[in-house]
Amino acid sequence: MPIAREMLARPAVQLAPRLLGAVLVSTVGDAEVAIRLTEVEAYEGLDDPASHAFRGPTRRTGVMFGPAGHLYCYFTYGMHWCANAVCGDEGEGLAVLLRAVAPLTGLEEMRAARKLKVRREHDLCSGPAKLCQAFGVTGVHDGADIVDGQDILIVDDGTAPPRRPGNSVRIGLTAGAEHPWRWFVPGDPNLSRPG
DNA sequence: CTTTGGATCGTCT
DNA sequence: GACGATCCAAAGG
């Protein structure tokens, strides 16, 4: 069943661990492609020096200051796309970075979407840019509605989040690196790095 | 297994 | 003009 927008309209640090196990479904291609969240990070907007939203809305970050339940997609390192689920209330700039997922259906489509030949299945979607490449997310999806939209939807298939999720500091930051705002499914092979 | 460096360009100062 | 919420191959142990 779909995840309600009100469920997403809460602080990123509350929402992030609860999203572990949630499913993203893409209906863009021929076959249905589905992935399950295994690793996320919370970004707390104006209060968080690590967030792209820290200095207020810009052309790039505008979507984060809109309503919850939309994708914030950004381009980085000159070649990679990454995606967040916008959460909280309008104007707060909160988001949950989708860092890794487990492939569920559409494995062949995702393998074809990866530029490099992926040898092991757990290398297919085990990183924020890998999952976007495999799942077909780019800048055209920035602002896409994942609650009540057309091409990508976030749903709850009954899988509960882990009772005790793994937790660590966020990865790849220079500022705000002290906060333990990364959560993951313990022992899952589809992680951007081991727990 | 771990470490290191190159690729590559939109965004903001 | 500097730099990044990354990925990958190559080299070393």
Side-chain angles (χ1 to χ4, degrees):
Chain A
M1 61 189 212
I3 293 181
R5 202 176 304 279
E6 309 85 68
M7 198 66 59
L8 304 173
R10 67 178 73 221
V13 291
Q14 275 184 33
L15 177 65
R18 297 193 52 161
L19 280 185
L20 293 174
V23 173
L24 285 164
V25 182
S26 171
T27 56
V28 174
D30 300 333
E32 182 179 272
V33 181
I35 55 183
R36 188 188 308 282
L37 288 172
T38 58
E39 178 182 340
V40 294
E41 284 178 357
Y43 285 86
E44 287 286 314
L46 295 164
D47 301 323
D48 180 4
S51 171
H52 292 163
F54 182 56
R55 298 180 188 282
T58 64
R59 171 90 127 270
R60 179 203 204 188
T61 64
V63 170
M64 269 195 287
F65 291 88
H70 294 253
L71 283 184
Y72 162 55
C73 304
Y74 67 92
F75 187 66
T76 192
Y77 290 104
M79 66 193 90
H80 296 305
W81 287 99
C82 299
N84 299 248
V86 175
C87 60
D89 292 321
E90 279 194 60
E92 291 186 316
L94 309 186
V96 174
L97 172 65
L98 314 180
R99 277 202 62 90
V101 299
L104 293 180
T105 67
L107 281 282
E108 286 313 307
E109 285 73 13
M110 285 192 270
R111 280 183 180 275
R114 292 296 306 280
K115 286 190 177 179
L116 269 68
K117 195 167 187 178
V118 177
R119 297 157 192 260
R120 312 191 241 357
E121 187 174 312
H122 69 262
D123 288 332
L124 190 56
C125 307
S126 54
K130 291 181 190 175
L131 76 89
C132 282
Q133 196 181 113
F135 201 53
V137 171
T138 66
V140 306
H141 302 287
D142 188 40
D145 189 340
I146 55 174
V147 171
D148 193 21
Q150 290 298 310
D151 32 347
I152 297 176
L153 293 174
I154 187 166
V155 300
D156 178 355
D157 74 342
T159 302
R163 189 170 293 279
R164 182 62 177 105
N167 175 244
S168 79
V169 295
R170 295 173 293 181
I171 294 173
L173 305 185
T174 55
E178 68 276 13
H179 295 118
W181 289 348
R182 167 179 178 252
W183 290 272
F184 52 93
V185 178
D188 196 291
N190 303 281
L191 297 178
S192 68
R193 61 178 60 179

